[in-house]
Amino acid sequence: MSQKPSLHTVLSPQLLHLYNCNNATVVIIDVFRATSTIATALHNGAARVIPVDAVDKCIEIGKQVNGITAGERDGKIIEGLQYGNSPAEYPRSFIEGKTLVLTTTNGTKLLHMALAAGASEVVTGSFPNLSAVCNFLVQQKKEVILGCSAWKDRFNLEDTLFAGAVIHQIKEHFTIHCDSSLMAEQIYLLHKNDMFTHIRQLTHWHRLAKFGLEKDLEYCVTIDVANVLPRFKNGALLAN
Amino acid sequence: MSQKPSLHTVLSPQLLHLYNCNNATVVIIDVFRATSTIATALHNGAARVIPVDAVDKCIEIGKQVNGITAGERDGKIIEGLQYGNSPAEYPRSFIEGKTLVLTTTNGTKLLHMALAAGASEVVTGSFPNLSAVCNFLVQQKKEVILGCSAWKDRFNLEDTLFAGAVIHQIKEHFTIHCDSSLMAEQIYLLHKNDMFTHIRQLTHWHRLAKFGLEKDLEYCVTIDVANVLPRFKNGALLAN
């Protein structure tokens, strides 16, 4: 019987260096809302999504690739960009065939850290593409790091809930000696049937709901409504 | 109505710098087993406990203060030291009136980080002294950081469970906008009635149980059996 590959959950970018990313598949998780929006745009036919960590880069790359520039601060579109961070802004009628240049802070930082740490594959995960992520990880049979983007490096529950959902689906295929993963699955099982209620307690909910984003956040914890696998290749995320 | 002080939970020493320790009370948590042993030794009449992070320092300070030197690696007393890390080694008949110089890695590191970050008060917490810690925090009416020592900076569940137990008891007295704290309380409530069973799933259990430490670990999740408050003053922890 062959040894099952390991799976670990990393609760903050600040903890990534404690884990061996070399040759691993790293799943970047940024549930509210970057990775949910990425899955949605690609599911609706976007040619690719280029994640960037700064507004000036977003504008520059947007011009180079003739792409749609997007990014928010405090619930409003950032000056100089065209669209926001909401998955609802990217229906097929609008985004199909286009390149989205998306400004994210927490998720993009983690993505570049994972590449620098030697990850052989980087994909993005969110509830809207849960099954696509799970199927890919099981099929790859490689070591897995579930990387929570967190909020300015502080632990957050929504990314942890998604890590727990993945673990619950695929744990039989992996060796898991990791308290973060045990915790994530327990928290997910505790709330999987009251997700819409539970997210109203989270610190990030309080940050975003005041901008009228309740529907957005509910969408972001809805399973498989944009079930595509965003894989990072040559600087962009593409639907698998 | 006056504003309630804030309470945050820090899941790893690597995350401490993200929080404001200045003028806060920091609770150092190292459930398996340093802070459980510290509470027990002080409860049983030890004059003080000097926590050190290295074996050579332990030996040197042990000589200077005519203290008992203690520390373990892989379930065995470290060569050159006299006793181990088990709370069971420090009954009143042995430890009363003596100074214990205890080698710990995770907990001592966090303690010194908290002092360097400007904590006005550092105490240690564990299930054996849960109520003493809670009473002190409520009475102080100051900002609180619950600092989990973790395992080589990786998140662990046993320290999180203790943080959750504290939060559950005292949350009415504090303002808590902190997903780590929400999570910790949820995990504690999930397991408070099956603690002895639950700890058998933890990664640290698997590390320590093979050395025959099951009874020790069960003691370390037993509430208020050494209900004293270890406060750090002038390089040592003393019973309040």
Side-chain angles (χ1 to χ4, degrees):
Chain A
M1 204 178 83
S2 65
Q3 175 83 20
K4 293 175 183 177
S6 70
L7 181 152
H8 290 91
T9 301
V10 178
L11 299 176
S12 161
Q14 291 271 326
L15 304 177
L16 186 71
H17 69 97
L18 302 171
Y19 298 83
N20 184 8
C21 292
N22 208 28
N23 287 318
T25 299
V26 178
V27 182
I28 307 297
I29 305 167
D30 193 354
V31 162
F32 292 158
R33 294 167 287 156
T35 57
S36 304
T37 300
I38 290 166
T40 303
L42 290 174
H43 184 253
N44 288 336
R48 56 184 170 162
V49 178
I50 303 177
V52 296
D53 59 4
V55 177
D56 54 350
K57 258 193 239 174
C58 185
I59 294 170
E60 193 189 318
I61 295 175
K63 280 183 196 155
Q64 286 169 10
V65 302
N66 192 26
I68 289 161
T69 57
E72 282 181 22
R73 289 291 178 277
D74 300 331
K76 284 185 193 145
I77 295 170
I78 296 169
E79 210 184 310
L81 305 185
Q82 301 164 294
Y83 291 85
N85 281 347
S86 168
E89 292 180 84
Y90 304 101
R92 181 169 292 271
S93 56
F94 170 61
I95 199 65
E96 192 168 21
K98 294 182 184 151
T99 294
L100 177 62
V101 190
L102 184 66
T103 311
T104 89
T105 43
N106 302 303
T108 301
K109 184 177 87 170
L110 184 60
L111 188 152
H112 289 294
M113 288 170 75
L115 291 170
S120 61
E121 181 87 55
V122 174
V123 302
T124 67
S126 66
F127 286 101
N129 67 330
L130 172 63
S131 293
V133 169
C134 290
N135 294 341
F136 179 71
L137 297 178
V138 169
Q139 171 207 316
Q140 285 261 304
K141 298 188 178 68
K142 295 178 77 167
E143 318 279 299
V144 168
I145 303 279
L146 301 176
C148 299
S149 296
W151 176 254
K152 296 182 180 176
D153 290 332
R154 289 189 185 190
F155 171 86
N156 78 34
L157 270 165
E158 63 273 19
D159 294 345
T160 308
L161 283 163
F162 177 74
V166 172
I167 291 160
H168 187 61
Q169 280 207 22
I170 68 174
K171 64 181 175 181
E172 292 76 15
H173 301 274
F174 292 88
T175 302
I176 305 180
H177 294 307
C178 167
D179 274 10
S180 306
S181 299
L182 286 177
M183 178 274 287
E185 190 193 8
Q186 289 176 15
I187 288 285
Y188 169 68
L189 291 176
L190 196 60
H191 294 295
K192 72 188 175 82
N193 295 323
D194 72 346
M195 202 71 95
F196 281 14
T197 316
H198 176 58
I199 59 171
R200 285 170 164 72
Q201 296 178 30
L202 311 187
T203 54
H204 211 138
W205 171 275
H206 294 292
R207 230 174 267 128
L208 291 175
K210 64 182 171 199
F211 304 121
L213 297 172
E214 292 91 342
K215 284 283 157 217
D216 248 39
L217 302 184
E218 289 178 354
Y219 172 87
C220 291
V221 294
T222 304
I223 286 176
D224 287 351
V225 285
N227 203 19
V228 72
L229 183 76
R231 289 175 86 163
F232 191 77
K233 270 183 201 160
N234 302 321
L237 290 152
L238 285 89
N240 199 28
Chain B
M1 205 178 82
S2 66
Q3 174 84 21
K4 294 175 183 178
S6 69
L7 180 151
H8 290 90
T9 302
V10 178
L11 300 176
S12 160
Q14 292 272 325
L15 304 178
L16 186 71
H17 68 99
L18 302 170
Y19 297 84
N20 184 8
C21 292
N22 208 28
N23 287 320
T25 300
V26 178
V27 182
I28 307 295
I29 305 167
D30 192 355
V31 163
F32 291 159
R33 292 166 292 159
T35 56
S36 303
T37 299
I38 289 165
T40 303
L42 290 173
H43 184 252
N44 288 335
R48 55 182 171 163
V49 178
I50 302 177
V52 296
D53 59 5
V55 176
D56 54 350
K57 257 193 239 173
C58 185
I59 295 171
E60 193 189 318
I61 296 175
K63 279 182 196 156
Q64 287 169 9
V65 302
N66 192 27
I68 289 162
T69 58
E72 282 182 21
R73 289 292 178 276
D74 300 331
K76 285 184 192 147
I77 296 169
I78 295 169
E79 209 183 310
L81 306 185
Q82 301 164 294
Y83 291 86
N85 281 348
S86 168
E89 292 180 83
Y90 303 101
R92 181 169 292 271
S93 56
F94 169 63
I95 199 65
E96 193 167 22
K98 294 180 185 154
T99 293
L100 176 62
V101 189
L102 183 66
T103 312
T104 89
T105 42
N106 303 302
T108 301
K109 183 176 86 170
L110 184 60
L111 188 152
H112 289 294
M113 289 170 74
L115 291 170
S120 61
E121 181 87 55
V122 175
V123 302
T124 67
S126 66
F127 286 100
N129 67 329
L130 172 62
S131 293
V133 169
C134 290
N135 294 341
F136 179 72
L137 297 178
V138 169
Q139 172 207 314
Q140 285 260 302
K141 297 188 179 67
K142 295 179 77 168
E143 317 279 298
V144 169
I145 303 278
L146 301 177
C148 299
S149 297
W151 174 253
K152 296 181 179 175
D153 290 330
R154 289 189 187 191
F155 171 87
N156 78 34
L157 270 165
E158 63 273 19
D159 294 346
T160 308
L161 283 163
F162 177 74
V166 171
I167 291 160
H168 187 61
Q169 281 206 19
I170 68 173
K171 63 181 175 181
E172 291 77 14
H173 301 273
F174 293 88
T175 301
I176 305 182
H177 293 309
C178 168
D179 274 9
S180 307
S181 299
L182 285 177
M183 178 274 289
E185 189 192 12
Q186 289 177 13
I187 287 285
Y188 170 68
L189 291 176
L190 197 60
H191 293 295
K192 72 189 176 78
N193 296 322
D194 72 345
M195 202 70 96
F196 282 13
T197 315
H198 176 57
I199 60 171
R200 286 170 165 74
Q201 296 178 31
L202 310 186
T203 53
H204 211 138
W205 171 274
H206 293 293
R207 230 174 267 129
L208 291 175
K210 64 182 171 199
F211 304 121
L213 297 172
E214 291 91 343
K215 284 284 156 216
D216 249 39
L217 302 185
E218 289 178 354
Y219 172 88
C220 291
V221 294
T222 304
I223 286 175
D224 287 352
V225 286
N227 203 18
V228 73
L229 183 77
R231 289 176 85 162
F232 192 77
K233 271 184 200 160
N234 303 320
L237 291 152
L238 287 90
N240 197 31

